[in-house]
Amino acid sequence: MRIIDIRETAVPLNSTLRNSSFDFSEMTTSVVAVITDVVRDGARVAGFAFNSTGRYACGAQMRERFIPRILRADPGSLLDETGTNIEPEKVLACMMQREKSGGHSERSIAIGTIEVAIWDAVAKIAGRPLHRLLAERYNGGRVADKVFCYVGGGWYFPGQTLKDLQDEMRRHLNAGYTMLKMKVGGLPLDQDVRRVEAVLDVLGSGSRLAVDANAKFGRNAAVAYAKALAPYGLRWFEEPCDPLNYALFAEIAGAYEGALATGENLYSTQDVENLMRFGGLRADRDIIQVDPPQAYGIVQFSRTLDMLARHGWQRSAMFPHGGNQMSLHITGGFGLGGAESYPGVFGDFGGFADDARVEDGYLRLPERPGIGFEGQAGLYGAMRPLIE
Amino acid sequence: MRIIDIRETAVPLNSTLRNSSFDFSEMTTSVVAVITDVVRDGARVAGFAFNSTGRYACGAQMRERFIPRILRADPGSLLDETGTNIEPEKVLACMMQREKSGGHSERSIAIGTIEVAIWDAVAKIAGRPLHRLLAERYNGGRVADKVFCYVGGGWYFPGQTLKDLQDEMRRHLNAGYTMLKMKVGGLPLDQDVRRVEAVLDVLGSGSRLAVDANAKFGRNAAVAYAKALAPYGLRWFEEPCDPLNYALFAEIAGAYEGALATGENLYSTQDVENLMRFGGLRADRDIIQVDPPQAYGIVQFSRTLDMLARHGWQRSAMFPHGGNQMSLHITGGFGLGGAESYPGVFGDFGGFADDARVEDGYLRLPERPGIGFEGQAGLYGAMRPLIE
């Protein structure tokens, strides 16, 4: 068996979203199809993925380097020991040929997106949902049936009132979610605090609310927000500063008793290990949010988890960035703390299967073969043309 | 005045080079032209740059994001206070709109290459060589007339003998260079030591030889090489390990009295500051090698130098990666320790003006307006079609 083609198309998100640091008006994502010569139900098996949101499409790197390396390789050199399915670890090593050390995100997103599409094909060839394959390979066979899922919402919109924000949060609660996240840092501190208090009026408890500053703050603003937010006992305070400023993370952790969260803008195991060594984070409370399709994919994510375990971190501290079915399977398969959800934003690139239902804060894991994009009509409409 | 177009083309290096970690057989570089409406000598002023070597061409990011942002901007918003020339700092801010924190190299190379081409145009509009503009703006007006320059050579080739390596080094000495660098880590330690000793037989003193491991080693191999190399008193030991593994750098620095060198695979000021804080490097001897066109360009490089000064580092510790006229002007203009040279490798993308002469280890700074690619016939042959 072999991979016969890998195709990519860039899709604009057409989003009007804005957080404290930037807007999404130009945002695109790469949709990838990995086409194999394996036939199931009368059709060739194809695996799909896309590169989450917040980083731009990366098809040029794929077409110039990563896809040709895979298609030029001896097909047998990419298979598992049974010779009947693809071994993603070998595909990853193939893509990494002739790449320099460091400088990860320039290629980690392109490679990670292809790698996750490979996994979709692998699971379809095996005839099983991806989360079950991952549970067997990476979690001692402990298969989950549902995943905790919170809403990444509370964006800034022009003309938004506190009541608009409260109405949004009520919609999420009515949809079955129990924990919500909102943006901070896009307004002066006193106005942001009023936004937080307005949402807490709806939610009741700070333990059900996280806030996200999207790396907006320097030292003084980060510490000022930490002090102002501390009394509310929030679930976590996300990306208070530059994701690479480990020394400032350590300073903020020293000044803020509550949980901090970061990781969606770290793209290599070594970067995350630097955060562990120098960032002053606390394994008993803080949250790590690496986005696997943006960080070399699932095989590399398993290595990051191994590294985190050596530093004393539990998998329950991991909440992968990216509110989509890829993160859902990864969260369930590896037994992580929870997944994110973006209801009503990012168009077809936020959300889960059309028949997915949230109950009491949990989503049932899908049982379609692979990741199950085929059960997500809008998104699959962007994927299907790649294999036609 | 305004920028009327920015064009890019990817050029293959067609190189057979190999270091300890990877080969250059697929390597490409982006050649960029920034075309202005300013007329000098009867022709529109155009600025040029390319993205050094070792990282691949990045035209897709340029065409999809960075070039449209510049061309869409109000032209007046990109000018300096006189309104008669471009302000590169404003162009940099324009390109960075809607970009997330972290994840630098995915865009730092594309942005840095455009930014350096902007500087070439700025200097041509001013009718002066770039190094003089940089000296006035960033070095208190201290204009240099020559720059120390060493050879980055000693690559591995199939079938190479020790005599071949010695012959290469003799050619560099005969060409006027006084300090050489060679690769290590591509052979077992005992064979690499024999290579080093063979080169020292030609050079005489270890203070005239640096070695470069291209991030090949894990902890044990790095420490073994450090111990084996220590007796030779080498000028420096470059990239012994993963460029992001700051903890391992600190360990190696604790075990190796001689100078270490790194930085060509760090792309942001924050990454370099992490190296300063956590890497255990020593301002009295170690060497930093950031490559400005790969790391957001010259304006950002000036910020990195300011950060390094706050950590007690002198500019003499800076030896920018990239043996080309861009690094030459930057080294001279900022008053850095020295520049690199790649005689006979990287084709038209290594080397200086055709009339450049090395004397006693120094290159005279060129006096053509801008960077002076027009005086480098082979390279300019790849640039000129962009403006025709």
Side-chain angles (χ1 to χ4, degrees), chain B residues 141-162:
Chain B
R142 291 182 292 278
V143 176
D145 59 353
K146 61 182 183 177
V147 159
F148 178 72
C149 192
Y150 75 96
V151 173
W155 297 75
Y156 295 101
F157 295 101
Q160 183 187 47
T161 66
L162 291 180

Side-chain angles (χ1 to χ4, degrees), chain A residues 118-176:
Chain A
I118 296 268
W119 275 105
D120 185 34
V122 165
K124 285 169 174 166
I125 290 169
R128 313 184 59 200
L130 177 60
H131 73 90
R132 289 184 176 268
L133 253 66
L134 297 180
E136 283 169 15
R137 180 156 170 172
Y138 295 118
N139 199 26
R142 290 182 292 278
V143 175
D145 59 354
K146 61 182 183 177
V147 160
F148 178 72
C149 193
Y150 75 96
V151 173
W155 297 75
Y156 295 100
F157 295 102
Q160 183 188 46
T161 66
L162 291 180
K163 179 167 180 309
D164 294 336
L165 182 64
Q166 289 177 318
D167 287 346
E168 179 204 328
M169 295 305 184
R170 284 194 192 94
R171 283 196 300 276
H172 299 321
L173 295 178
N174 290 338

Side-chain angles (χ1 to χ4, degrees), chain A residues 171-192:
Chain A
R171 283 196 300 276
H172 299 321
L173 295 178
N174 290 338
Y177 294 100
T178 58
M179 179 194 152
L180 311 176
K181 188 169 76 182
M182 62 184 289
K183 301 298 183 188
V184 295
L187 290 170
L189 174 55
D190 58 334
Q191 292 180 50
D192 265 344

Side-chain angles (χ1 to χ4, degrees), chain B residues 65-379:
Chain B
R65 287 142 62 194
F66 309 121
I67 293 172
R69 286 178 194 156
I70 294 171
L71 297 181
R72 273 199 315 258
D74 170 10
S77 73
L78 303 178
L79 300 185
D80 65 16
E81 56 194 11
T82 72
T84 61
N85 209 333
I86 303 158
E87 171 49 67
E89 189 164 355
K90 294 179 179 173
V91 178
L92 174 63
C94 176
M95 287 192 277
M96 285 297 285
Q97 293 173 90
R98 294 179 206 96
E99 295 292 324
K100 280 185 98 171
S101 300
H104 291 286
S105 86
E106 181 267 338
R107 65 196 171 215
S108 69
I109 300 168
I111 289 176
T113 307
I114 293 173
E115 201 254 18
V116 173
I118 297 269
W119 274 105
D120 185 34
V122 165
K124 286 168 174 167
I125 290 170
R128 312 183 59 199
L130 177 60
H131 73 90
R132 289 184 176 269
L133 253 66
L134 297 180
E136 283 168 15
R137 180 157 169 172
Y138 294 118
N139 199 26
R142 291 182 292 278
V143 176
D145 59 353
K146 61 182 183 177
V147 159
F148 178 72
C149 192
Y150 75 96
V151 173
W155 297 75
Y156 295 101
F157 295 101
Q160 183 187 47
T161 66
L162 291 180
K163 180 168 179 308
D164 294 337
L165 182 63
Q166 289 177 318
D167 287 346
E168 179 204 328
M169 295 306 184
R170 284 194 192 95
R171 282 195 301 276
H172 299 320
L173 295 178
N174 289 338
Y177 293 100
T178 58
M179 180 195 152
L180 311 176
K181 188 168 77 181
M182 62 184 288
K183 301 298 183 188
V184 295
L187 290 170
L189 174 56
D190 58 333
Q191 293 180 50
D192 265 344
V193 166
R194 281 202 289 278
R195 278 169 53 92
V196 168
E197 289 183 341
V199 173
L200 286 174
D201 283 346
V202 174
L203 272 175
S205 164
S207 65
R208 299 170 69 193
L209 178 64
V211 296
D212 182 0
N214 292 97
K216 170 81 170 185
F217 303 133
R219 173 182 285 104
N220 293 344
V223 171
Y225 267 77
K227 284 187 180 164
L229 293 171
Y232 300 106
L234 300 177
R235 179 66 181 87
W236 69 67
F237 178 15
E238 181 169 328
E239 285 205 313
C241 65
D242 185 322
L244 294 168
N245 195 339
Y246 309 125
L248 183 50
F249 266 105
E251 195 175 331
I252 297 167
Y256 185 72
E257 281 292 308
L260 298 172
T262 187
E264 73 180 72
N265 290 305
L266 299 179
Y267 299 95
S268 73
T269 303
Q270 184 61 61
D271 281 303
V272 181
E273 186 155 28
N274 287 337
L275 176 70
M276 293 299 109
R277 284 178 171 149
F278 308 121
L281 296 190
R282 301 145 300 186
D284 65 355
R285 73 196 81 168
D286 293 322
I287 301 296
I288 308 298
Q289 302 170 306
V290 171
D291 186 331
Q294 294 193 350
Y296 293 110
I298 289 170
V299 169
Q300 193 62 40
F301 184 70
S302 76
R303 296 171 182 159
T304 298
L305 288 180
D306 290 345
M307 176 278 293
L308 286 167
R310 289 196 297 274
H311 286 273
W313 286 67
Q314 305 291 317
R315 291 187 175 188
S316 55
M318 303 294 291
F319 280 70
H321 176 256
N324 54 56
Q325 292 207 82
M326 300 181 290
S327 291
L328 190 66
H329 280 272
I330 290 165
T331 300
F334 282 95
L336 310 180
E340 194 167 5
S341 175
Y342 309 130
V345 298
F346 297 124
D348 294 328
F349 296 94
F352 307 103
D354 298 329
D355 57 2
R357 293 290 172 272
V358 185
E359 277 184 69
D360 205 20
Y362 284 80
L363 257 171
R364 295 201 72 76
L365 280 160
E367 292 299 326
R368 289 180 183 83
I371 295 171
F373 291 121
E374 293 79 1
Q376 208 172 346
L379 177 56

Side-chain angles (χ1 to χ4, degrees), chain A residues 21-28 53-58 60-61 64-65 69 72 97-107 109 214-216 219 239 241-248 264-265 267-268 270-271 273-274 277-278 294 321, chain B residues 21-28 53-58 60-61 64-65 69 72 97-107 109 214-216 219 239 241-248 264-265 267-268 270-271 273-274 277-278 294 321:
Chain A
S21 297
F22 70 105
D23 69 68
F24 282 72
S25 58
E26 298 180 6
M27 189 58 63
T28 53
T53 51
R55 296 280 167 182
Y56 293 86
C58 46
Q61 295 99 302
E64 287 161 16
R65 286 143 60 195
R69 286 178 194 155
R72 272 200 314 258
Q97 293 173 90
R98 295 179 206 96
E99 295 293 325
K100 280 185 98 171
S101 300
H104 291 285
S105 85
E106 181 268 338
R107 65 197 171 216
I109 300 168
N214 292 96
K216 171 80 170 185
R219 172 182 285 105
E239 285 205 313
C241 64
D242 185 322
L244 295 168
N245 195 339
Y246 309 126
L248 183 50
E264 74 180 71
N265 290 305
Y267 299 95
S268 73
Q270 184 62 60
D271 280 303
E273 185 156 29
N274 287 337
R277 284 178 170 148
F278 309 121
Q294 294 193 349
H321 176 256
Chain B
S21 297
F22 70 105
D23 70 67
F24 282 72
S25 59
E26 297 180 6
M27 190 58 63
T28 53
T53 52
R55 297 279 167 182
Y56 293 86
C58 46
Q61 296 99 302
E64 287 161 17
R65 287 142 62 194
R69 286 178 194 156
R72 273 199 315 258
Q97 293 173 90
R98 294 179 206 96
E99 295 292 324
K100 280 185 98 171
S101 300
H104 291 286
S105 86
E106 181 267 338
R107 65 196 171 215
I109 300 168
N214 292 97
K216 170 81 170 185
R219 173 182 285 104
E239 285 205 313
C241 65
D242 185 322
L244 294 168
N245 195 339
Y246 309 125
L248 183 50
E264 73 180 72
N265 290 305
Y267 299 95
S268 73
Q270 184 61 61
D271 281 303
E273 186 155 28
N274 287 337
R277 284 178 171 149
F278 308 121
Q294 294 193 350
H321 176 256

